[in-house]
C-alpha cells in the first residue's frame, strides 16, 4: 500500500473525503451506539464508559490548572518539635488499647518477631540419608543439609554411634545482624541457637534455617543497661536461607 | 427589736483547767556536740580545721562560719551544705547519696530515721556557694497568650529577659514582651514549621530555623526581616547556635551563626553579609544539635551515634567522640547559660557599646571557666548520658585524654530527651521519656537524685538563673517546679490543655508553649 502511494500518490479528492469522513465520525459513532445490540453492544458500552471516565478526569485537571488558588504554603498539619520528628508518635486514643493487647499477648506467650511464620521444611530436604555398613545396607545415619552452629569446644561423639552428621563446611560462626532502628548491619559472632521454629530437634542440633532465633554477641555495639552493666548478648532472627547464600542475615530483636 | 449579739461562749474556768492532769514537760534531750569539718565542694580541700559545734547549729550560723573561714566577711556568699554518709548505703535507687542540711545537722542528719550517722563521727560538710541573687519562686500562671494557630514548637527568652520568642507550626514566629505580657511582633516568612529560635547575646538579631530548610534573621526591635533568608540546607533545620560574644572579631560586629540540619551538615553563616563561611560535613546522618563553645570550638551531635568537635576558626574536624550506642539527641555545655546571656547578668547593667559588651561577656565567661573547665554532656536514645572533658586544645591537661568520657550516666529507663547544665555548672538535669528528671553532679557526673512526679514523657527542662530552681515540661500537659533541697515537687503548674513542647526560665518568669497553641507566662 505504501509503495503504491509512493509511486502514484493519492486521489485528487483525498483531503476532501478525509475531512468529510472525520466530520461524520461523531454522527456515525452516535448512530452505532444507539443501534447495536447483543454482545457487541455490551463490549462497546463498556469501552465507552471507560473512555468517558478518563475524559472527565483530564477535564477536571485542566479546570484546576486554569483556576488560580491561594497557595497555602503547603504547611502540613501535626507540627512537631525537632526532638519528636522522626519518631513514630503513638496516638493517645490507641495507647490504652495497645497496652491491653500487649498484656493479652504476654499472657498467651505470643511474642512478636519479625518473621512470625516460616515455611515448613520436610525431612527429606533437611537430612540426607547416609548408608553405612559393609554392604551399605544400614541407613540410620543422617547428614544435615542446612547450615548449623555447633559452638566452641565442640567435639563429635564417637563416629560409630553418631546419628546426625553436621558437615564442617556448613558450620557457621558469624551472622550479619541488622539493627532495625539504626538500619546498620554488623557482623557479630553467634553465641547459640535459641529456637528453631521447625522442631525442637533442630534446635538441639543447632540447625540454622530461616526464622531461627539466635543469640548473638553484641558487646561491640556498646549498649548499656540502666544499672550501668554492658549488654553483651541479644536475640536475632534469621531472615534468609543460609544454605543458599553462604551467610546468615538476621534482624536484631530489640 | 434591735438585733442582739449572741451571748459570749462560756469559757472554761480555771478550776476546770486545774482538774486536768498536769502534763509533765518533755525531758530536755541534751543536744550532743559534734565535730564538723568543712570541705569545699570545688576541690575537696578542707576549709579550716575541724570545729566542735552543738548539733543544732542552724544553717545561717553554719553559713556565717564558712564565710569567716574563707575570709569573705565583707562579701558573704550564701552556701548550701550537704553530707555524704561514709557508710555505703544499700544501693536502693530511692535514697540519694547525699543528705542535704537545710535546718541543722541535728534535724536533718541525726534525727531522721534510718540514719547511720551518730554524734561521735566527724561530719564532713560539703559546702557549695550559691548565687548571690535569688530568683523568686514561680507561683501561678499570670498570662495566657494566644495568637499562634498551630502548636508552639520552640521558645527562647532574650538575654536581658525583656522578650520571649516562640516559633510555631503555622510558619510564624512571635516576639512577646515579658514585662507587659503582650505580643509585640509577628514574624512571617517561613514556608514550613518554625522549628528552632535563637537570640544572639546582644539581643540585636533573632534567628529562626524552619522545616523548609531556611534560616531567617530578624531584628527584634522593629520586627522586620534582617535581609534575605539563608538558603543552603536541603532538609529541615534541627538546631541553631550563635557565636559567643567574646569571640566575635571586632571587624565584623555581628556574631556568626551555626545551623544544623537533618541533611547531615552544619553551616556557619556570617550574619552581616549573609553568606556561608564554611560548611561542616562529615556526619553520616542527621545532625541533631549544635553548640558553640567558649574556646571557639563547635560541638555537633548526630544520629550516626557520634559527637564531632570542630574548630570555629576554619571548620576543621578536631575530634570524633563515638561512645554512644544510639542517636545523640541532646547536648549541653557547662558554659551554656553564660554564653547565651553574654554581657547581661543579674545586676541589670546595660553595656554602652559593643566593646564594653564584649569585655563584660569575656569577664563572665572567665569567671565560670575558672572553677570548672567547659565540660560537655550528651544524652542519647541509648538511655545514657556521657560527660566529656574539655575539648579545646588550648587547655589540655595531661591526665585526661579528651577522647575518653569522664563518666557514663546510666539510670534512665527510656530515651533521654533533653539535658541542661545549671547556670553555675554544678548540676546537670536530664529529662527522659521514662517520666523522670534526674539530677547529676556537674563536675563528676555522679547521680544525685531522681525527680518523679510526671505521668508521661518529660520533654524539656530549664534552670532558673540562680541554679536553685528547676522547671520541667512534659507530655502530660503540666509543668513542675522542683525543690532542689528535698528533691520533690515544689509547685505544680497545670493549665495547658495539651502537651507542653517547650519551656524557658527567665528572671522570675517561666515561658511555656505547647500543642494547645497558647503561650503561658
Amino acid at each position: 500500500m505504501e509503495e503504491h502511494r509512493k509511486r502514484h500518490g493519492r486521489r485528487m479528492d483525498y483531503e476532501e473525503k478525509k475531512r468529510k469522513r472525520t466530520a461524520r465520525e461523531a454522527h456515525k459513532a452516535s448512530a452505532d451506539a444507539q443501534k447495536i445490540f447483543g454482545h457487541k453492544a455490551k463490549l462497546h458500552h463498556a469501552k465507552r464508559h471507560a473512555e468517558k471516565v478518563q475524559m472527565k478526569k483530564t477535564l477536571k485537571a485542566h479546570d484546576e490548572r486554569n483556576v488560580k488558588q491561594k497557595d497555602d504554603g503547603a504547611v502540613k498539619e501535626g507540627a512537631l518539635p525537632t526532638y519528636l520528628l522522626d519518631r513514630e508518635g503513638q496516638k493517645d486514643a490507641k495507647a490504652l488499647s495497645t497496652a491491653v493487647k500487649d498484656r493479652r499477648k504476654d499472657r498467651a506467650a505470643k511474642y512478636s518477631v519479625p518473621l512470625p511464620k516460616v515455611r515448613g521444611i520436610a525431612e527429606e530436604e533437611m537430612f540426607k540419608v547416609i548408608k553405612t555398613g559393609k554392604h551399605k545396607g544400614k541407613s540410620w545415619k543422617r547428614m544435615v543439609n542446612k547450615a548449623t552452629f555447633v559452638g566452641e569446644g565442640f567435639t563429635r561423639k564417637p563416629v560409630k554411634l553418631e546419628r546426625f552428621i553436621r558437615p564442617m563446611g556448613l558450620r557457621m560462626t558469624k551472622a550479619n545482624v541488622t539493627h532495625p532502628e539504626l538500619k546498620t548491619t554488623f557482623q557479630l559472632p553467634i553465641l547459640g541457637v535459641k529456637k528453631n521454629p521447625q522442631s525442637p530437634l533442630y534446635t538441639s542440633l543447632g540447625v540454622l534455617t530461616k526464622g531461627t532465633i539466635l543469640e548473638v554477641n553484641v558487646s561491640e555495639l556498646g549498649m548499656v543497661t540502666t544499672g550501668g552493666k554492658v549488654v553483651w548478648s541479644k536475640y536475632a532472627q534469621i531472615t534468609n536461607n543460609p544454605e543458599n547464600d553462604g551467610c546468615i542475615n538476621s534482624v536484631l530483636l530489640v | 427589736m434591735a438585733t442582739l449579739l449572741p451571748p459570749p461562749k462560756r469559757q472554761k474556768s480555771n478550776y476546770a483547767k486545774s482538774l486536768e492532769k498536769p502534763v509533765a514537760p518533755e525531758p530536755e534531750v541534751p543536744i550532743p556536740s559534734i565535730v564538723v569539718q568543712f570541705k569545699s565542694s570545688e576541690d575537696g580541700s578542707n576549709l579550716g580545721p575541724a570545729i566542735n559545734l552543738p548539733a543544732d547549729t542552724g544553717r545561717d550560723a553554719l553559713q556565717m562560719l564558712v564565710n569567716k573561714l574563707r575570709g569573705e566577711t565583707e562579701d558573704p556568699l550564701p552556701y548550701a551544705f550537704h553530707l555524704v554518709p561514709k557508710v555505703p548505703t544499700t544501693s536502693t535507687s530511692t535514697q540519694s547519696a547525699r543528705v542535704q542540711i537545710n535546718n541543722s545537722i541535728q534535724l536533718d542528719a541525726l534525727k531522721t530515721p534510718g540514719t547511720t550517722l551518730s554524734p561521735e563521727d566527724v561530719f564532713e560538710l560539703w559546702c557549695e556557694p550559691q548565687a548571690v541573687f535569688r530568683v523568686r519562686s514561680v507561683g501561678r500562671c499570670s498570662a495566657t497568650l494566644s495568637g499562634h494557630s498551630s502548636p508552639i514548637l520552640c521558645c527562647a527568652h532574650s538575654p536581658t529577659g525583656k522578650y520571649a520568642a516562640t516559633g510555631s507550626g503555622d510558619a510564624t514566629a512571635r516576639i512577646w514582651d515579658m514585662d507587659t505580657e503582650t505580643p509585640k511582633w509577628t514574624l512571617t516568612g517561613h514556608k514550613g514549621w518554625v522549628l528552632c529560635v535563637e537570640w544572639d547575646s546582644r539581643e540585636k538579631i533573632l534567628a529562626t530555623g524552619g522545616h523548609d530548610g531556611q534560616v531567617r534573621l530578624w531584628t527584634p526591635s522593629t520586627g522586620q526581616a534582617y535581609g534575605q533568608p539563608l538558603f543552603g540546607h536541603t532538609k529541615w533545620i534541627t538546631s541553631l547556635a550563635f557565636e559567643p560574644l567574646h569571640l566575635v572579631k571586632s571587624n565584623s560586629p555581628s556574631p556568626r551563626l551555626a545551623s544544623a540540619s537533618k541533611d547531615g551538615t552544619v553551616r556557619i553563616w556570617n550574619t552581616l553579609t549573609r553568606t556561608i563561611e564554611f560548611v561542616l560535613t562529615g556526619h553520616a546522618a542527621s545532625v541533631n544539635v549544635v553548640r558553640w563553645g567558649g574556646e571557639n570550638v563547635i560541638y555537633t551531635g548526630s544520629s550516626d551515634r557520634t559527637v564531632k568537635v570542630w574548630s570555629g576558626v576554619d571548620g576543621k574536624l578536631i575530634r570524633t567522640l563515638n561512645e554512644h550506642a544510639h542517636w545523640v539527641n541532646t547536648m549541653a555545655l557547662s558554659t551554656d547559660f553564660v554564653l547565651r546571656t553574654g554581657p547581661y547578668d543579674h545586676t541589670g547593667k546595660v553595656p554602652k557599646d559593643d566593646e564594653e559588651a564584649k569585655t563584660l561577656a569575656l569577664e563572665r565567661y572567665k569567671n565560670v571557666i575558672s572553677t570548672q573547665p567547659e565540660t560537655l554532656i550528651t544524652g542519647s536514645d541509648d538511655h545514657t548520658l556521657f560527660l566529656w572533658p574539655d575539648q579545646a586544645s588550648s587547655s589540655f591537661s595531661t591526665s585526661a585524654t579528651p577522647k575518653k568520657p569522664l563518666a557514663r550516666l546510666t539510670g534512665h529507663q527510656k530515651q533521654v530527651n533533653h539535658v541542661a547544665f545549671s547556670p553555675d555548672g554544678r548540676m546537670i538535669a536530664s529529662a527522659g521519656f521514662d517520666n523522670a528528671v534526674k539530677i547529676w553532679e556537674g563536675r563528676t557526673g555522679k547521680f544525685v537524685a531522681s525527680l518523679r512526679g510526671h505521668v508521661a514523657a518529660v520533654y524539656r527542662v530549664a534552670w532558673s538563673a540562680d541554679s536553685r530552681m528547676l522547671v520541667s515540661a512534659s507530655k502530660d500537659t503540666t509543668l513542675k517546679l522542683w525543690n532542689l533541697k528535698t528533691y520533690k515537687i515544689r509547685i505544680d503548674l497545670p493549665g495547658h490543655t495539651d502537651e507542653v513542647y517547650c519551656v524557658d526560665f527567665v528572671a522570675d518568669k517561666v515561658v511555656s508553649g505547647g500543642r494547645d497553641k497558647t503561650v503561658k507566662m
Side-chain angles (χ1 to χ4, degrees):
Chain A
M1 268 166 67
E2 277 181 29
E3 212 186 306
H4 180 273
R5 258 181 236 141
K6 277 186 200 161
R7 278 201 203 147
H8 307 287
R10 295 182 190 263
R11 285 173 76 137
M12 304 289 272
D13 51 1
Y14 169 70
E15 271 92 38
E16 178 84 11
K17 286 184 84 134
K18 190 163 184 214
R19 182 183 62 81
K20 289 186 105 174
R21 189 175 183 182
T22 48
R24 256 179 274 135
E25 286 283 299
H27 297 286
K28 185 168 186 299
S30 146
D32 277 345
Q34 290 174 37
K35 283 190 202 148
I36 51 171
F37 55 92
H39 186 59
K40 228 190 232 180
K42 281 205 179 132
L43 291 174
H44 172 88
H45 288 315
K47 198 171 92 182
R48 186 74 185 141
H49 179 71
E51 271 175 31
K52 279 193 168 174
V53 162
Q54 276 300 14
M55 195 146 9
K56 269 197 180 163
K57 279 193 190 162
T58 47
L59 283 175
K60 200 159 176 220
H62 281 310
D63 280 340
E64 272 179 17
R65 190 194 61 183
N66 291 334
V67 170
K68 281 212 167 72
Q69 262 181 341
K70 186 180 132 199
D71 194 14
D72 47 320
V75 178
K76 289 174 278 187
E77 287 297 312
L80 288 173
T82 49
Y83 47 85
L84 290 179
L85 290 167
D86 282 344
R87 287 187 199 273
E88 284 148 19
Q90 209 180 34
K91 296 222 166 43
D92 299 283
K94 285 172 82 185
L96 276 175
S97 78
T98 46
V100 168
K101 280 187 194 157
D102 279 335
R103 236 175 280 141
R104 272 197 217 131
K105 261 200 217 150
D106 279 338
R107 275 191 223 128
K110 268 203 198 114
Y111 301 103
S112 65
V113 279
L115 301 176
K117 288 203 187 104
V118 284
R119 174 183 80 92
I121 298 181
E123 226 185 275
E124 297 95 46
E125 191 185 332
M126 181 67 97
F127 298 122
K128 181 173 171 235
V129 179
I130 305 279
K131 293 215 180 94
T132 51
K134 190 174 183 186
H135 303 289
K136 297 279 185 276
K138 302 188 185 190
S139 49
W140 52 269
K141 269 187 186 288
R142 299 278 182 277
M143 185 174 80
V144 177
N145 259 336
K146 309 271 179 192
T148 55
F149 173 75
V150 288
E152 261 185 60
F154 169 75
T155 32
R156 295 168 68 181
K157 283 216 281 273
V159 181
K160 189 172 174 194
L161 309 170
E162 205 182 15
R163 191 168 155 211
F164 293 103
I165 301 175
R166 283 168 277 189
M168 276 171 65
L170 287 175
R171 289 185 201 162
M172 310 222 161
T173 49
K174 288 201 178 207
N176 303 321
V177 183
T178 307
H179 195 295
E181 285 163 23
L182 295 176
K183 306 252 187 289
T184 47
T185 312
F186 309 93
Q187 200 179 48
L188 302 173
I190 305 175
L191 291 169
V193 172
K194 173 77 178 167
K195 188 166 172 60
N196 190 315
Q198 308 288 337
S199 129
L201 170 66
Y202 301 161
T203 309
S204 63
L205 282 180
V207 173
L208 304 170
T209 54
K210 186 168 180 177
T212 308
I213 312 277
L214 302 171
E215 202 171 345
V216 285
N217 183 345
V218 293
S219 52
E220 72 171 50
L221 294 184
M223 290 190 271
V224 169
T225 61
T226 53
K229 300 207 174 75
V230 177
V231 172
W232 69 284
S233 97
K234 264 193 172 296
Y235 290 135
Q237 191 181 31
I238 300 183
T239 53
N240 73 330
N241 292 315
E243 68 276 3
N244 295 337
D245 300 326
C247 65
I248 304 175
N249 296 336
S250 59
V251 151
L252 194 67
L253 304 175
V254 280
Chain B
M1 301 230 335
T3 47
L4 292 169
L5 290 169
K9 274 167 113 175
R10 204 166 69 101
Q11 291 189 340
K12 264 193 189 171
S13 63
N14 281 338
Y15 175 67
K17 275 191 202 156
S18 64
L19 284 180
E20 291 169 1
K21 279 214 202 113
V23 177
E26 278 187 25
E28 284 275 329
V29 178
I31 298 169
S33 150
I34 51 174
V35 180
V36 170
Q37 171 66 58
F38 290 105
K39 274 181 146 31
S40 144
S41 70
E42 280 154 34
D43 42 11
S45 63
N46 296 340
L47 294 167
I51 303 174
N52 209 331
L53 287 172
D56 64 348
T57 321
R59 206 171 129 237
D60 299 327
L62 288 172
Q63 230 170 259
M64 221 164 52
L65 265 173
V66 176
N67 275 317
K68 269 221 177 101
L69 285 171
R70 295 202 95 179
E72 290 163 352
T73 37
E74 288 113 28
D75 218 358
L77 279 177
Y79 277 92
F81 302 100
H82 65 93
L83 285 174
V84 178
K86 279 224 185 83
V87 180
T89 52
T90 54
S91 52
T92 49
S93 52
T94 49
Q95 276 186 356
S96 61
R98 44 164 73 178
V99 178
Q100 198 94 8
I101 305 296
N102 295 325
N103 299 319
S104 71
I105 297 188
Q106 184 181 38
L107 281 171
D108 290 318
L110 293 175
K111 284 254 168 95
T112 48
T115 185
T116 55
L117 304 160
S118 80
E120 287 163 7
D121 301 333
V122 174
F123 288 92
E124 282 187 355
L125 216 58
W126 296 84
C127 322
E128 285 176 350
Q130 297 202 300
V132 180
F133 60 98
R134 183 178 209 101
V135 171
R136 258 196 309 225
S137 166
V138 173
R140 56 186 182 84
C141 172
S142 65
T144 306
L145 306 158
S146 52
H148 276 297
S149 53
S150 231
I152 294 161
L153 304 177
C154 52
C155 64
H157 75 260
S158 70
T160 50
K162 258 183 37 191
Y163 304 115
T166 56
S168 144
D170 60 359
T172 63
R174 280 168 200 258
I175 300 185
W176 314 84
D177 187 328
M178 295 290 282
D179 300 323
T180 59
E181 294 174 1
T182 51
K184 200 130 193 277
W185 304 111
T186 305
L187 315 168
T188 46
H190 270 288
K191 296 260 176 348
W193 313 331
V194 178
L195 287 174
C196 18
V197 72
E198 277 293 323
W199 292 84
D200 86 326
S201 28
R202 284 281 283 145
E203 234 179 83
K204 290 216 177 106
I205 314 176
L206 180 69
T208 52
H211 193 73
D212 48 8
Q214 294 173 4
V215 178
R216 280 167 191 260
L217 302 170
W218 316 85
T219 15
S221 44
T222 61
Q224 299 301 318
Y226 182 61
Q228 294 293 320
L230 308 171
F231 298 104
H233 281 293
T234 49
K235 288 210 188 135
W236 66 79
I237 311 288
T238 50
S239 163
L240 296 167
F242 267 104
E243 193 180 7
L245 193 59
H246 63 262
L247 292 173
V248 174
K249 295 201 250 303
S250 16
N251 51 0
S252 68
S254 309
R256 292 178 289 173
L257 174 66
S259 64
S261 150
K262 171 130 170 74
D263 60 7
T265 60
V266 176
R267 281 164 203 267
I268 312 290
W269 310 86
N270 183 326
T271 45
L272 204 58
T273 62
R274 286 178 292 286
T275 51
I276 300 182
E277 294 230 339
F278 40 84
V279 180
L280 310 173
T281 51
H283 275 297
S286 148
V287 183
N288 289 332
V289 64
V290 68
R291 285 270 178 277
W292 206 312
E295 303 285 333
N296 218 349
V297 160
I298 302 176
Y299 305 89
T300 56
S302 146
S303 287
D304 64 356
R305 296 154 12 239
T306 62
V307 174
K308 287 194 196 273
V309 182
W310 314 79
S311 146
V313 173
D314 48 8
K316 283 217 189 66
L317 175 65
I318 299 178
R319 212 165 289 122
T320 307
L321 312 167
N322 42 7
E323 293 274 337
H324 273 296
H326 212 302
W327 304 345
V328 178
N329 274 335
T330 172
M331 226 159 53
L333 288 170
S334 55
T335 50
D336 250 347
F337 180 75
V338 164
L339 296 174
R340 223 174 120 203
T341 48
Y344 305 103
D345 60 1
H346 61 276
T347 55
K349 201 165 91 168
V350 176
K352 283 194 291 289
D353 60 359
D354 283 340
E355 283 308 311
E356 208 196 319
K358 266 173 81 168
T359 42
L360 278 175
L362 187 59
E363 237 180 76
R364 284 188 79 213
Y365 175 70
K366 285 240 166 1
N367 269 342
V368 177
I369 283 285
S370 59
T371 49
Q372 183 189 5
E374 189 178 61
T375 39
L376 173 75
I377 182 146
T378 55
S380 146
D381 262 12
D382 65 357
H383 315 340
T384 62
L385 304 110
F386 270 113
L387 191 67
W388 304 93
D390 191 12
Q391 302 289 327
S393 52
S394 56
S395 48
F396 257 140
S397 66
T398 45
S399 51
T401 47
K403 230 179 172 178
K404 254 184 82 162
L406 285 174
R408 187 169 200 174
L409 287 62
T410 57
H412 274 289
Q413 268 128 354
K414 280 207 192 147
Q415 296 95 320
V416 176
N417 202 18
H418 193 213
V419 72
F421 257 101
S422 69
D424 57 4
R426 250 174 260 282
M427 299 252 155
I428 302 169
S430 63
F433 281 175
D434 58 351
N435 318 353
V437 176
K438 289 193 191 278
I439 311 275
W440 319 80
E441 245 179 71
R443 221 178 293 275
T444 54
K446 248 178 44 168
F447 175 73
V448 170
S450 190
L451 307 174
R452 294 195 192 278
H454 280 295
V455 294
V458 189
Y459 281 155
R460 281 279 201 248
V461 283
W463 288 89
S464 70
D466 64 349
S467 316
R468 287 200 186 104
M469 287 190 280
L470 180 67
V471 69
S472 58
S474 145
K475 189 172 166 188
D476 64 1
T477 80
T478 62
L479 292 126
K480 293 204 194 304
L481 195 69
W482 302 92
N483 185 337
L484 290 172
K485 291 198 186 132
T486 59
Y487 302 119
K488 292 216 168 57
I489 298 178
R490 198 203 204 121
I491 296 172
D492 208 351
L493 304 165
H496 272 288
T497 48
D498 212 340
E499 304 177 16
V500 187
Y501 282 149
C502 52
V503 72
D504 211 352
F505 211 133
V506 189
D508 54 354
K509 286 202 169 157
V510 172
V511 177
S512 66
R515 217 161 86 170
D516 59 354
K517 309 170 193 163
T518 57
V519 177
K520 282 191 187 283
M521 294 197 193

